[in-house]
Amino acid sequence: MKVYLLRRLLAVVPVMLVVATVAFVLIHLAPGDPASVIAGPYATQDDITRLHHQLGLDQPLPLQLVKWYGRLLAGDLGDSIFLRRPVSEAIVERLEPTLLLTGWATLIAVLIGIPAGVLSARYHNSALDQSFMALALVGLSVPSFLLGLLMILVFGVWLGWLPVAGYAPLESGVWPNLRSLLMPAVSLGLVQSALIARITRSSMLDVLREQYILASRSKGLGERAVVYKHALKNAIIPTLTVIGITLAILIGGAVVIETVFNIPGLGRLIISAVLRRDYPVIQGVVLLIAVAYTLVNLLVDLAYLTLDPRIRYR
């Protein structure tokens, strides 16, 4: 187990190297020039050339890439061109809203998706099953940003129950923080709960047709014990894989939702960085998201061991 874990952690290194290289090359090949943005519309060509030299953008691209690798090995993501501060500090400052938003959205998706999928499978082809699957189809068809805008209109503008935008940090209290994140988290989580519900239902239907389930019923076990104790434990593994993928999707989806609800998280940071061609910030946030995605997948793989002791990693 320790060897497997060490091997997976070492496998993260080349993945991060590829992600860092692709992100660096694509960003620098994209149209736009940070020196021109900083200098403004009335700057002369000499001003822009001087800024290029100060920012090190006049150096060959391979040399800039090698210097960035060197800084990464030292744990330095560089300094933001526009914020005039280390990228790591800017990321840490914006990390709390994104982590809380993603966490709440994942919790909502799991709490709605798994029970809906299990009940649909248990009462297969019933009115309850058809209702849940119809709602899941609607959920998969509605973009999260559109759902967020509709919730702002209904719960923020018409009813006035929740703030239409903004973020209350944790230090201001749990309840204000929860109110500020409720609509964004529901917008993100509700859409993903539809996917989890459909996968859970499909997996449960496969397991409920297995011979050992028939044997459990023939021994006189109650339907509740058969479904929740024996079937769900074996059916949850595919759902767990989807939850890991969902968490990664939610991190990416937070970029849009943070913009809709004016939440000062990593999503708004990377959007402003893209608009201003702030290369170090874009590279740093992309690398962080790649690391998070890789670690989540590793945790999902390790969770298989707890759910199914037959699985062995070598």
Side-chain angles (χ1 to χ4, degrees):
M1 178 65 185
K2 291 180 180 177
V3 175
Y4 170 78
L5 187 59
L6 181 62
R7 195 167 64 238
R8 285 293 303 268
L9 290 175
L10 289 176
V12 172
V13 176
V15 172
M16 290 303 105
L17 190 62
V18 171
V19 170
T21 305
V22 171
F24 183 90
V25 172
L26 289 181
I27 291 166
H28 282 75
L29 292 181
D33 181 13
S36 300
V37 178
I38 294 174
Y42 303 107
T44 63
Q45 186 57 43
D46 290 339
D47 295 333
I48 295 175
T49 303
R50 191 163 49 251
L51 269 174
H52 269 148
H53 181 69
Q54 290 176 0
L55 298 173
L57 299 175
D58 57 345
Q59 298 174 348
L61 201 58
L63 180 60
Q64 294 183 48
L65 182 60
V66 170
K67 287 186 175 179
W68 192 53
Y69 284 155
R71 287 197 298 270
L72 283 180
L73 288 176
D76 181 14
L77 294 176
D79 293 333
S80 167
I81 296 174
F82 286 87
L83 300 176
R84 304 289 185 184
R85 57 190 302 198
V87 173
S88 54
E89 286 186 12
I91 289 176
V92 169
E93 186 180 273
R94 302 292 190 98
L95 202 56
E96 179 191 297
T98 301
L99 281 180
L100 290 175
L101 175 60
T102 306
W104 281 117
T106 305
L107 187 64
I108 289 170
V110 171
L111 291 181
I112 295 176
I114 291 181
V118 171
L119 290 174
S120 291
R122 182 178 179 184
Y123 302 102
H124 182 47
N125 282 337
S126 66
L128 182 69
D129 177 27
Q130 300 299 328
S131 301
F132 278 148
M133 289 304 102
L135 289 174
L137 186 61
V138 172
L140 287 172
S141 306
V142 178
S144 57
F145 73 89
L146 180 60
L147 184 60
L149 291 173
L150 291 174
M151 293 182 71
I152 289 175
L153 181 64
V154 175
F155 298 105
V157 178
W158 290 351
L159 299 176
W161 291 351
L162 296 168
V164 296
Y167 172 72
L170 264 179
E171 60 187 18
S172 64
V174 176
W175 178 238
N177 176 263
L178 188 59
R179 286 188 78 236
S180 67
L181 288 177
L182 186 57
M183 282 198 294
V186 171
S187 304
L188 272 176
L190 211 55
V191 175
Q192 295 304 318
S193 69
L195 176 63
I196 293 176
R198 293 187 69 85
I199 296 295
T200 305
R201 175 182 179 273
S202 175
S203 181
M204 281 291 293
L205 286 175
D206 289 341
V207 173
L208 287 173
R209 296 190 184 104
E210 295 286 342
Q211 292 296 319
Y212 73 91
I213 295 295
L214 182 62
S216 300
R217 285 171 173 155
S218 64
K219 286 195 301 183
L221 281 180
E223 188 64 17
R224 187 184 296 271
V226 170
V227 172
Y228 296 106
K229 185 177 179 182
H230 296 281
L232 180 58
K233 187 175 180 181
N234 291 294
I236 202 68
I237 290 181
T239 306
L240 192 63
T241 305
V242 174
I243 292 173
I245 297 172
T246 297
L247 184 57
I249 294 174
L250 289 176
I251 294 174
V255 173
V256 178
I257 289 298
E258 285 178 4
T259 304
V260 171
F261 287 92
N262 195 27
I263 296 174
L266 287 179
R268 284 189 58 198
L269 177 67
I270 196 169
I271 285 180
S272 62
V274 169
L275 293 176
R276 296 183 298 195
R277 304 294 187 272
D278 197 341
Y279 298 148
V281 173
I282 300 172
Q283 293 162 184
V285 175
V286 169
L287 202 60
L288 178 70
I289 291 175
V291 170
Y293 187 86
T294 307
L295 291 179
V296 166
N297 277 283
L298 176 59
L299 290 176
V300 169
D301 287 348
L302 294 178
Y304 291 163
L305 295 174
T306 306
L307 294 172
D308 191 347
R310 295 172 299 177
I311 297 176
R312 290 286 182 271
Y313 294 123
R314 295 178 181 176

